[in-house]
Amino acid sequence: ENRIGRNGYAVLATLLQNPNTELHVLVLADNEIDDERVVVLATGLTENSTLKELDLSKNPFITEIGWRTIFVTLKNPVCILEKLFLQENRINDAAGDSLADFLTNNSTLKALDLSCCRDITVARSRSLFEFLRSPNCKLEELHLLNTGFSDDVPISLAHSLINNRSLRSLDLSANCDITKIGWTAFSFILLNPHTVLENLCLSSCGMNDETVSSIANALTNNCRLRELRLSSNNDVTAAGWEAFSTVLQNPNSALEKLDLQSNSINDGTMISTANSLVKNNKLKELLLDGNYAISANGWAAFSRVLCNTSSIIATYHSNHILQKLCQEDMDIELPEDIRSLLVMNREYSKRQAARQKIIKTHFSCSHMNILSFVEMESKIMPFVLMLMAQNCSMNADMMTCGNGFSLLYQSVQNMASFFDLSSDANYSDGPRAKRRKVMIDW
């Protein structure tokens, strides 16, 4: 918000024209730029070959004339622009045509933000994204938040992205006019085995059970998407979220972050979601802030998934990947046991997190449960013994021995409970054959 005057833009244009300039980022957001200033700015951009990022967002006084001037200027072959931010501007159909022409002939742009640009009609929006079909397209990020698009846009995007090999992040949040028809067509993007889309934001899209189910079905076999945001879709019921939980059961799923904040999620949904994470080894963040219907029963389901205390092997096979269930500044909402388990998952490797949980649950100094070895599978026992043999000083709050001995040493000391040392001697015929009778209780 520099509020640069007319003379200032003339100086800026001169700087951009200087072949020795090293200006890479130019932010003119919310600057009350009008067409006259844009024309001056365009003269500086005509021969510029250094600028990589241009932010012209929130400048509602630029009209069709100004936008067309800018987009024609950016078509210059020497332009190496990589990021263009145009959100909250009044770009109409005629300006949109110039933008489409620039995008079709560009091979350097990697990020484009058209969020809250609502003046492009449906007819023009269909052709606007044709540039995504171009083999020269290098766009990796496309932000279309709150653009007022209807079903035609996701249908157009689905067709344009069939052979696209560059777009990795797409934001369609707050487009509530898209119906089941549009989302069903869009889901084909996720079904496409050649898609490289990794980040998808569909927050506040007015989705219901049907639309979420169509997205879930498309993700069942998707192995590329890493981040999905579905926050503030309050029309989705427990049935819709339960259908979506099947995505987390997909062994090929690449999802690492799932945002379900501010939805109508209850204990039933929590339990089905937690159960779907039992064998999931990818998801690191599941954001659940703002779901106020979750009670202690719902959180308990996650506690069991993070650390199943029924046996050593169950603890070993618990989820040691999940690291966050809410934003960091909202940690206070989490029960203490869950917070502690998530910290273990964050701070330790999967193997070490398993060790810490096993020790805390089954072999803490105050709770040395030797009976845990009863009926333990023989192939698991060496691993458990190895964990116990490691020095107990690794985490003092879990096992404060005070003498530096390993848990294995302590466990051997406690093994007496497994033996019945009879006071009656059992002798054989020979004088050197005196033996003590040992009863092993396992």
Coordinates of all heavy atoms in Angstrom, one line a residue, residues 181-263:
I181 N -23.2 -31.7 -10.6 CA -22.8 -31.9 -12.0 C -21.4 -31.5 -12.2 O -20.6 -32.2 -12.8 CB -23.8 -31.1 -13.0 CG1 -25.2 -31.7 -12.8 CG2 -23.3 -31.2 -14.4 CD1 -26.3 -30.9 -13.6
G182 N -21.1 -30.3 -11.7 CA -19.8 -29.7 -11.9 C -18.7 -30.5 -11.1 O -17.6 -30.8 -11.7
W183 N -19.0 -30.9 -9.9 CA -18.1 -31.6 -9.1 C -17.8 -33.0 -9.6 O -16.7 -33.6 -9.6 CB -18.5 -31.7 -7.6 CG -18.4 -30.3 -7.0 CD1 -19.4 -29.7 -6.3 CD2 -17.3 -29.5 -6.8 NE1 -19.0 -28.5 -5.8 CE2 -17.7 -28.4 -6.1 CE3 -15.9 -29.6 -7.3 CZ2 -16.8 -27.3 -5.9 CZ3 -15.1 -28.5 -7.0 CH2 -15.5 -27.4 -6.3
T184 N -18.9 -33.6 -10.2 CA -18.7 -35.0 -10.8 C -17.8 -34.9 -12.0 O -16.9 -35.8 -12.1 CB -20.1 -35.5 -11.2 OG1 -21.0 -35.6 -10.0 CG2 -20.0 -36.9 -11.8
A185 N -18.0 -33.9 -12.8 CA -17.1 -33.7 -13.9 C -15.7 -33.4 -13.5 O -14.7 -33.9 -14.0 CB -17.6 -32.5 -14.8
F186 N -15.5 -32.6 -12.4 CA -14.2 -32.3 -11.9 C -13.5 -33.5 -11.4 O -12.3 -33.6 -11.4 CB -14.4 -31.2 -10.8 CG -13.1 -30.8 -10.2 CD1 -12.2 -29.9 -10.8 CD2 -12.7 -31.4 -9.0 CE1 -11.0 -29.5 -10.2 CE2 -11.5 -31.0 -8.4 CZ -10.7 -30.1 -9.0
S187 N -14.3 -34.4 -10.8 CA -13.6 -35.6 -10.2 C -12.8 -36.4 -11.2 O -11.9 -37.2 -10.8 CB -14.7 -36.5 -9.5 OG -15.6 -37.0 -10.5
F188 N -13.1 -36.2 -12.5 CA -12.4 -37.0 -13.5 C -10.9 -36.5 -13.5 O -10.0 -37.3 -14.0 CB -13.0 -36.8 -14.9 CG -14.2 -37.6 -15.1 CD1 -15.5 -37.1 -15.0 CD2 -14.1 -39.0 -15.4 CE1 -16.6 -37.8 -15.1 CE2 -15.2 -39.8 -15.6 CZ -16.5 -39.2 -15.4
I189 N -10.6 -35.3 -13.0 CA -9.2 -34.9 -12.9 C -8.5 -35.8 -11.9 O -7.3 -36.2 -12.2 CB -9.2 -33.4 -12.4 CG1 -9.8 -32.5 -13.5 CG2 -7.7 -33.0 -12.2 CD1 -9.9 -31.0 -13.0
L190 N -9.2 -36.1 -10.8 CA -8.5 -36.9 -9.8 C -8.4 -38.4 -10.2 O -7.6 -39.1 -9.7 CB -9.3 -36.8 -8.5 CG -9.5 -35.3 -8.0 CD1 -10.4 -35.3 -6.8 CD2 -8.1 -34.8 -7.6
L191 N -9.3 -38.8 -11.1 CA -9.3 -40.1 -11.7 C -8.2 -40.3 -12.7 O -7.8 -41.5 -13.0 CB -10.6 -40.5 -12.3 CG -11.8 -40.8 -11.3 CD1 -13.1 -40.9 -12.0 CD2 -11.5 -42.1 -10.5
N192 N -7.8 -39.2 -13.3 CA -6.8 -39.3 -14.4 C -5.5 -39.8 -13.8 O -4.9 -39.1 -13.0 CB -6.6 -37.9 -15.0 CG -5.7 -37.9 -16.2 OD1 -5.0 -38.9 -16.5 ND2 -5.6 -36.7 -16.9
P193 N -5.0 -40.9 -14.3 CA -3.7 -41.5 -13.8 C -2.5 -40.6 -14.1 O -1.4 -40.8 -13.5 CB -3.6 -42.8 -14.4 CG -4.4 -42.7 -15.7 CD -5.5 -41.8 -15.4
H194 N -2.7 -39.7 -15.1 CA -1.5 -38.8 -15.5 C -1.5 -37.5 -14.7 O -0.6 -36.7 -15.0 CB -1.6 -38.6 -17.0 CG -1.5 -39.9 -17.8 ND1 -0.5 -40.7 -17.7 CD2 -2.5 -40.4 -18.6 CE1 -0.7 -41.8 -18.5 NE2 -1.9 -41.6 -19.1
T195 N -2.5 -37.2 -13.9 CA -2.6 -35.9 -13.2 C -1.4 -35.8 -12.3 O -0.9 -36.8 -11.7 CB -3.9 -35.8 -12.4 OG1 -3.9 -34.4 -11.8 CG2 -4.0 -36.8 -11.3
V196 N -0.9 -34.5 -12.2 CA 0.2 -34.3 -11.2 C -0.3 -33.4 -10.1 O 0.5 -32.9 -9.3 CB 1.4 -33.6 -11.9 CG1 2.0 -34.6 -12.9 CG2 1.0 -32.3 -12.6
L197 N -1.6 -33.2 -10.0 CA -2.2 -32.3 -9.0 C -1.9 -32.9 -7.6 O -2.2 -34.0 -7.3 CB -3.7 -32.2 -9.2 CG -4.4 -31.1 -8.4 CD1 -4.0 -29.8 -9.0 CD2 -5.9 -31.3 -8.6
E198 N -1.3 -32.0 -6.7 CA -0.9 -32.4 -5.4 C -1.6 -31.7 -4.3 O -1.7 -32.2 -3.1 CB 0.7 -32.2 -5.2 CG 1.5 -33.1 -6.1 CD 3.0 -32.8 -6.0 OE1 3.3 -31.9 -5.3 OE2 3.8 -33.6 -6.5
N199 N -2.1 -30.5 -4.6 CA -2.7 -29.7 -3.6 C -4.1 -29.2 -4.1 O -4.1 -28.5 -5.1 CB -1.8 -28.5 -3.2 CG -2.3 -27.7 -2.1 OD1 -3.5 -27.5 -1.9 ND2 -1.4 -27.1 -1.3
L200 N -5.2 -29.5 -3.4 CA -6.5 -29.1 -3.8 C -7.3 -28.5 -2.7 O -7.4 -29.1 -1.6 CB -7.2 -30.3 -4.4 CG -8.7 -30.1 -4.8 CD1 -8.7 -29.1 -6.0 CD2 -9.3 -31.5 -5.3
C201 N -7.8 -27.3 -2.9 CA -8.5 -26.6 -1.9 C -10.0 -26.4 -2.3 O -10.3 -25.7 -3.3 CB -7.9 -25.2 -1.6 SG -8.6 -24.4 -0.1
L202 N -10.9 -27.0 -1.6 CA -12.3 -27.0 -1.9 C -13.1 -26.5 -0.6 O -14.2 -27.0 -0.4 CB -12.8 -28.4 -2.3 CG -12.1 -29.0 -3.5 CD1 -12.7 -30.4 -3.8 CD2 -12.3 -28.1 -4.8
S203 N -12.5 -25.6 0.2 CA -13.2 -25.1 1.4 C -14.4 -24.2 1.0 O -14.4 -23.5 0.0 CB -12.2 -24.4 2.2 OG -11.2 -25.2 2.7
S204 N -15.4 -24.3 1.9 CA -16.6 -23.3 1.7 C -17.2 -23.4 0.3 O -17.5 -22.4 -0.2 CB -16.1 -21.9 2.0 OG -15.6 -21.8 3.3
C205 N -17.3 -24.6 -0.2 CA -17.9 -24.8 -1.5 C -19.4 -25.3 -1.4 O -20.0 -25.6 -2.5 CB -17.1 -25.8 -2.3 SG -15.6 -25.0 -3.0
G206 N -20.0 -25.3 -0.2 CA -21.4 -25.7 -0.1 C -21.6 -27.2 -0.5 O -22.7 -27.5 -1.0
M207 N -20.6 -28.0 -0.3 CA -20.7 -29.4 -0.7 C -21.7 -30.1 0.2 O -21.9 -29.8 1.4 CB -19.3 -30.1 -0.6 CG -18.4 -29.7 -1.7 SD -16.9 -30.7 -1.7 CE -16.2 -30.3 -3.3
N208 N -22.3 -31.2 -0.3 CA -23.2 -32.1 0.5 C -22.7 -33.5 0.4 O -21.6 -33.8 -0.1 CB -24.6 -31.9 0.0 CG -24.7 -32.2 -1.5 OD1 -24.0 -33.0 -2.1 ND2 -25.7 -31.6 -2.2
D209 N -23.4 -34.4 0.9 CA -23.0 -35.8 0.9 C -22.7 -36.4 -0.5 O -21.7 -37.1 -0.7 CB -24.1 -36.7 1.6 CG -24.2 -36.4 3.1 OD1 -23.3 -35.8 3.6 OD2 -25.2 -36.9 3.7
E210 N -23.5 -36.0 -1.5 CA -23.3 -36.5 -2.8 C -22.0 -36.0 -3.4 O -21.2 -36.8 -4.0 CB -24.5 -36.1 -3.7 CG -25.7 -36.9 -3.4 CD -26.8 -36.6 -4.5 OE1 -27.1 -35.4 -4.7 OE2 -27.4 -37.6 -5.1
T211 N -21.8 -34.7 -3.3 CA -20.6 -34.1 -3.9 C -19.3 -34.6 -3.2 O -18.3 -34.9 -3.9 CB -20.6 -32.6 -3.9 OG1 -20.9 -32.2 -2.5 CG2 -21.7 -32.1 -4.8
V212 N -19.3 -34.7 -1.9 CA -18.1 -35.3 -1.2 C -17.9 -36.7 -1.6 O -16.8 -37.2 -1.7 CB -18.3 -35.1 0.3 CG1 -17.4 -36.0 1.1 CG2 -18.1 -33.7 0.8
S213 N -19.0 -37.5 -1.7 CA -18.8 -38.9 -2.1 C -18.2 -39.0 -3.5 O -17.4 -39.9 -3.7 CB -20.2 -39.6 -2.1 OG -20.7 -39.6 -0.8
S214 N -18.6 -38.1 -4.4 CA -18.0 -38.2 -5.8 C -16.5 -37.9 -5.7 O -15.7 -38.5 -6.4 CB -18.7 -37.2 -6.7 OG -18.5 -35.9 -6.4
I215 N -16.1 -36.9 -4.9 CA -14.7 -36.6 -4.7 C -14.0 -37.8 -4.1 O -12.9 -38.2 -4.5 CB -14.5 -35.3 -3.9 CG1 -15.1 -34.1 -4.6 CG2 -13.0 -35.1 -3.6 CD1 -14.5 -33.7 -5.9
A216 N -14.6 -38.4 -3.1 CA -14.0 -39.5 -2.4 C -13.8 -40.7 -3.3 O -12.8 -41.4 -3.3 CB -14.9 -39.9 -1.2
N217 N -14.8 -41.0 -4.1 CA -14.7 -42.1 -5.1 C -13.6 -41.9 -6.1 O -12.9 -42.8 -6.4 CB -16.0 -42.3 -5.9 CG -17.2 -42.8 -5.0 OD1 -16.9 -43.4 -4.0 ND2 -18.4 -42.5 -5.4
A218 N -13.4 -40.6 -6.5 CA -12.3 -40.3 -7.4 C -10.9 -40.5 -6.7 O -9.9 -40.8 -7.4 CB -12.4 -38.9 -7.9
L219 N -10.9 -40.2 -5.4 CA -9.6 -40.3 -4.7 C -9.3 -41.7 -4.3 O -8.1 -42.0 -3.8 CB -9.7 -39.4 -3.5 CG -9.6 -37.9 -3.7 CD1 -9.8 -37.1 -2.4 CD2 -8.2 -37.6 -4.3
T220 N -10.2 -42.7 -4.4 CA -9.9 -44.0 -4.0 C -8.7 -44.6 -4.6 O -7.9 -45.3 -3.9 CB -11.2 -44.9 -4.3 OG1 -12.3 -44.4 -3.7 CG2 -10.9 -46.3 -3.8
N221 N -8.4 -44.3 -5.9 CA -7.2 -44.9 -6.5 C -6.2 -43.8 -6.9 O -5.3 -44.0 -7.6 CB -7.7 -45.6 -7.8 CG -8.5 -46.8 -7.5 OD1 -8.1 -47.7 -6.7 ND2 -9.7 -46.9 -8.1
N222 N -6.4 -42.6 -6.3 CA -5.5 -41.5 -6.6 C -4.2 -41.7 -5.7 O -4.3 -41.9 -4.5 CB -6.1 -40.1 -6.3 CG -5.2 -39.0 -6.6 OD1 -4.3 -38.7 -5.9 ND2 -5.5 -38.3 -7.7
C223 N -3.0 -41.5 -6.3 CA -1.8 -41.7 -5.6 C -0.9 -40.5 -5.7 O 0.3 -40.6 -5.5 CB -1.1 -43.0 -6.1 SG -0.6 -43.0 -7.8
R224 N -1.5 -39.3 -6.1 CA -0.6 -38.1 -6.2 C -1.0 -37.0 -5.3 O -0.2 -36.2 -4.8 CB -0.8 -37.6 -7.7 CG -0.1 -38.5 -8.7 CD 1.3 -38.7 -8.5 NE 2.1 -37.5 -8.5 CZ 2.8 -37.1 -9.6 NH1 2.8 -37.8 -10.7 NH2 3.5 -36.0 -9.5
L225 N -2.3 -36.8 -4.9 CA -2.8 -35.7 -4.1 C -2.2 -35.8 -2.7 O -2.4 -36.8 -2.0 CB -4.3 -35.7 -4.1 CG -4.9 -34.3 -3.6 CD1 -4.7 -33.3 -4.7 CD2 -6.4 -34.5 -3.3
R226 N -1.5 -34.8 -2.3 CA -0.9 -34.8 -1.0 C -1.6 -33.9 0.1 O -1.5 -34.1 1.3 CB 0.6 -34.3 -1.1 CG 1.4 -35.2 -1.9 CD 2.9 -34.7 -2.0 NE 3.7 -35.5 -2.8 CZ 4.3 -36.6 -2.4 NH1 4.1 -37.1 -1.2 NH2 5.0 -37.4 -3.3
E227 N -2.3 -32.9 -0.4 CA -3.0 -32.0 0.5 C -4.4 -31.7 0.0 O -4.6 -31.3 -1.2 CB -2.2 -30.7 0.7 CG -2.8 -29.7 1.7 CD -1.9 -28.5 1.9 OE1 -0.7 -28.6 1.7 OE2 -2.4 -27.5 2.4
L228 N -5.4 -31.8 0.9 CA -6.8 -31.6 0.5 C -7.5 -30.8 1.6 O -7.4 -31.2 2.8 CB -7.5 -32.9 0.3 CG -9.0 -32.8 0.0 CD1 -9.3 -32.1 -1.3 CD2 -9.6 -34.2 -0.1
R229 N -8.1 -29.7 1.2 CA -8.8 -28.8 2.2 C -10.3 -28.9 1.9 O -10.7 -28.5 0.8 CB -8.3 -27.4 2.1 CG -6.8 -27.2 2.4 CD -6.4 -25.8 2.4 NE -4.9 -25.7 2.6 CZ -4.4 -25.5 3.9 NH1 -5.2 -25.4 4.9 NH2 -3.1 -25.4 4.0
L230 N -11.1 -29.3 2.9 CA -12.5 -29.4 2.8 C -13.2 -28.7 3.9 O -14.3 -29.1 4.3 CB -12.9 -30.9 2.7 CG -12.6 -31.7 1.5 CD1 -12.8 -33.2 1.7 CD2 -13.4 -31.2 0.3
S231 N -12.6 -27.7 4.5 CA -13.1 -27.0 5.7 C -14.4 -26.3 5.3 O -14.6 -25.9 4.1 CB -12.1 -26.1 6.3 OG -11.7 -25.1 5.3
S232 N -15.2 -26.1 6.3 CA -16.4 -25.2 6.2 C -17.4 -25.7 5.1 O -17.9 -24.9 4.4 CB -16.0 -23.7 6.0 OG -15.2 -23.3 7.0
N233 N -17.6 -27.0 5.0 CA -18.6 -27.6 4.2 C -19.7 -28.2 5.1 O -19.7 -29.4 5.3 CB -18.0 -28.6 3.2 CG -17.3 -27.9 2.0 OD1 -17.9 -27.3 1.2 ND2 -16.0 -28.1 2.0
N234 N -20.5 -27.3 5.7 CA -21.3 -27.8 6.8 C -22.5 -28.6 6.4 O -23.3 -29.1 7.3 CB -21.8 -26.5 7.6 CG -20.7 -25.9 8.4 OD1 -20.1 -26.5 9.2 ND2 -20.3 -24.7 8.0
D235 N -22.8 -28.7 5.1 CA -24.0 -29.4 4.6 C -23.6 -30.9 4.5 O -24.5 -31.8 4.3 CB -24.5 -28.9 3.3 CG -25.1 -27.6 3.4 OD1 -25.6 -27.2 4.5 OD2 -25.1 -26.8 2.4
V236 N -22.4 -31.3 4.7 CA -22.0 -32.7 4.7 C -22.3 -33.3 6.0 O -22.0 -32.8 7.1 CB -20.5 -32.9 4.4 CG1 -20.1 -34.3 4.3 CG2 -20.1 -32.1 3.1
T237 N -23.1 -34.4 6.0 CA -23.5 -35.1 7.2 C -22.5 -36.2 7.6 O -21.5 -36.5 6.8 CB -24.9 -35.7 7.1 OG1 -24.8 -36.8 6.1 CG2 -25.9 -34.6 6.6
A238 N -22.8 -36.9 8.6 CA -22.0 -38.1 9.0 C -21.8 -39.1 7.9 O -20.8 -39.7 7.8 CB -22.5 -38.7 10.3
A239 N -22.9 -39.3 7.2 CA -22.9 -40.3 6.1 C -21.9 -39.9 5.0 O -21.1 -40.7 4.5 CB -24.3 -40.4 5.5
G240 N -21.8 -38.6 4.7 CA -20.8 -38.2 3.7 C -19.4 -38.3 4.2 O -18.5 -38.8 3.4
W241 N -19.1 -37.9 5.4 CA -17.8 -38.0 6.0 C -17.3 -39.5 6.1 O -16.2 -39.8 5.9 CB -17.6 -37.3 7.3 CG -17.8 -35.8 7.2 CD1 -18.7 -35.0 7.8 CD2 -17.0 -34.9 6.3 NE1 -18.5 -33.7 7.4 CE2 -17.5 -33.6 6.5 CE3 -16.0 -35.1 5.3 CZ2 -17.0 -32.5 5.8 CZ3 -15.5 -34.1 4.7 CH2 -16.0 -32.8 4.9
E242 N -18.3 -40.3 6.5 CA -18.0 -41.8 6.6 C -17.6 -42.3 5.2 O -16.7 -43.2 5.1 CB -19.2 -42.5 7.2 CG -18.8 -44.0 7.5 CD -19.9 -44.7 8.2 OE1 -20.9 -44.0 8.7 OE2 -19.9 -45.9 8.4
A243 N -18.3 -41.9 4.2 CA -17.9 -42.4 2.8 C -16.5 -41.9 2.5 O -15.7 -42.5 1.8 CB -18.9 -41.9 1.8
F244 N -16.2 -40.6 2.9 CA -14.9 -40.1 2.6 C -13.8 -40.8 3.3 O -12.6 -40.8 2.9 CB -14.9 -38.6 3.0 CG -13.7 -37.9 2.5 CD1 -13.6 -37.4 1.2 CD2 -12.6 -37.7 3.3 CE1 -12.5 -36.8 0.7 CE2 -11.4 -37.1 2.8 CZ -11.4 -36.6 1.5
S245 N -14.1 -41.4 4.5 CA -13.0 -42.0 5.3 C -12.4 -43.2 4.5 O -11.3 -43.6 4.9 CB -13.6 -42.5 6.6 OG -14.6 -43.5 6.5
T246 N -13.1 -43.7 3.5 CA -12.5 -44.8 2.7 C -11.3 -44.4 2.0 O -10.4 -45.2 1.7 CB -13.6 -45.4 1.7 OG1 -14.0 -44.3 0.8 CG2 -14.8 -45.9 2.4
V247 N -11.2 -43.1 1.7 CA -10.0 -42.6 1.1 C -8.7 -42.8 1.9 O -7.7 -43.2 1.4 CB -10.1 -41.0 0.8 CG1 -8.8 -40.5 0.2 CG2 -11.3 -40.8 -0.1
L248 N -8.9 -42.7 3.2 CA -7.8 -42.8 4.1 C -7.3 -44.3 4.3 O -6.3 -44.6 4.7 CB -8.1 -42.3 5.5 CG -8.5 -40.8 5.5 CD1 -8.9 -40.3 6.9 CD2 -7.3 -39.9 5.0
Q249 N -8.2 -45.2 3.8 CA -7.9 -46.6 3.9 C -7.2 -47.1 2.6 O -6.7 -48.2 2.6 CB -9.2 -47.4 4.1 CG -9.9 -47.2 5.4 CD -11.3 -47.9 5.5 OE1 -11.5 -48.8 4.7 NE2 -12.1 -47.5 6.4
N250 N -7.1 -46.2 1.6 CA -6.5 -46.6 0.4 C -5.0 -46.7 0.6 O -4.3 -45.8 1.0 CB -6.7 -45.5 -0.7 CG -6.0 -45.7 -1.9 OD1 -5.4 -46.7 -2.2 ND2 -5.9 -44.6 -2.7
P251 N -4.4 -47.9 0.4 CA -3.0 -48.1 0.7 C -2.1 -47.3 -0.3 O -0.9 -47.1 0.0 CB -2.8 -49.6 0.4 CG -3.9 -50.0 -0.5 CD -5.1 -49.2 -0.1
N252 N -2.7 -46.8 -1.4 CA -1.9 -46.0 -2.3 C -2.0 -44.5 -2.1 O -1.5 -43.7 -2.9 CB -2.3 -46.4 -3.8 CG -2.0 -47.8 -4.1 OD1 -0.9 -48.4 -3.8 ND2 -2.9 -48.5 -4.8
S253 N -2.9 -44.2 -1.1 CA -3.1 -42.7 -0.9 C -1.8 -42.0 -0.6 O -1.0 -42.5 0.2 CB -4.1 -42.6 0.2 OG -4.2 -41.2 0.6
A254 N -1.7 -40.8 -1.1 CA -0.5 -40.0 -0.8 C -0.8 -38.8 0.1 O 0.0 -38.0 0.4 CB 0.1 -39.5 -2.2
L255 N -2.1 -38.8 0.5 CA -2.5 -37.6 1.4 C -1.7 -37.5 2.6 O -1.6 -38.4 3.4 CB -4.0 -37.8 1.8 CG -5.1 -37.2 0.8 CD1 -6.4 -37.5 1.4 CD2 -4.8 -35.8 0.6
E256 N -1.1 -36.3 2.8 CA -0.3 -36.0 4.0 C -1.0 -35.0 4.9 O -0.8 -34.9 6.1 CB 1.1 -35.5 3.6 CG 1.9 -36.5 2.9 CD 3.2 -36.0 2.4 OE1 3.5 -34.8 2.7 OE2 4.0 -36.7 1.8
K257 N -1.9 -34.2 4.3 CA -2.6 -33.2 5.0 C -4.1 -33.1 4.6 O -4.4 -33.0 3.4 CB -2.0 -31.8 4.9 CG -2.6 -30.7 5.7 CD -1.8 -29.4 5.6 CE -2.5 -28.3 6.4 NZ -1.7 -27.0 6.3
L258 N -5.0 -33.2 5.6 CA -6.4 -33.2 5.3 C -7.1 -32.2 6.2 O -7.0 -32.3 7.5 CB -7.1 -34.6 5.5 CG -8.6 -34.7 5.3 CD1 -9.0 -34.2 3.9 CD2 -9.1 -36.1 5.6
D259 N -7.7 -31.2 5.7 CA -8.3 -30.1 6.5 C -9.8 -30.2 6.5 O -10.5 -30.1 5.5 CB -7.9 -28.7 5.9 CG -8.4 -27.5 6.7 OD1 -9.1 -27.8 7.7 OD2 -8.0 -26.4 6.4
L260 N -10.3 -30.6 7.7 CA -11.7 -30.7 7.9 C -12.2 -29.8 9.0 O -13.2 -30.1 9.7 CB -12.1 -32.2 8.3 CG -11.7 -33.3 7.3 CD1 -12.1 -34.7 7.9 CD2 -12.4 -33.1 6.0
Q261 N -11.6 -28.6 9.1 CA -12.0 -27.7 10.1 C -13.4 -27.1 9.9 O -13.9 -27.0 8.7 CB -11.0 -26.5 10.1 CG -9.6 -26.9 10.5 CD -8.7 -25.7 10.5 OE1 -8.6 -25.0 11.5 NE2 -8.0 -25.5 9.3
S262 N -14.1 -26.8 11.0 CA -15.4 -26.1 11.0 C -16.4 -26.9 10.1 O -17.1 -26.3 9.3 CB -15.2 -24.7 10.5 OG -14.3 -24.0 11.3
N263 N -16.5 -28.2 10.3 CA -17.6 -29.0 9.7 C -18.5 -29.6 10.7 O -18.2 -29.5 11.9 CB -16.9 -30.1 8.8 CG -16.4 -29.6 7.5 OD1 -17.1 -29.0 6.7 ND2 -15.1 -29.8 7.3

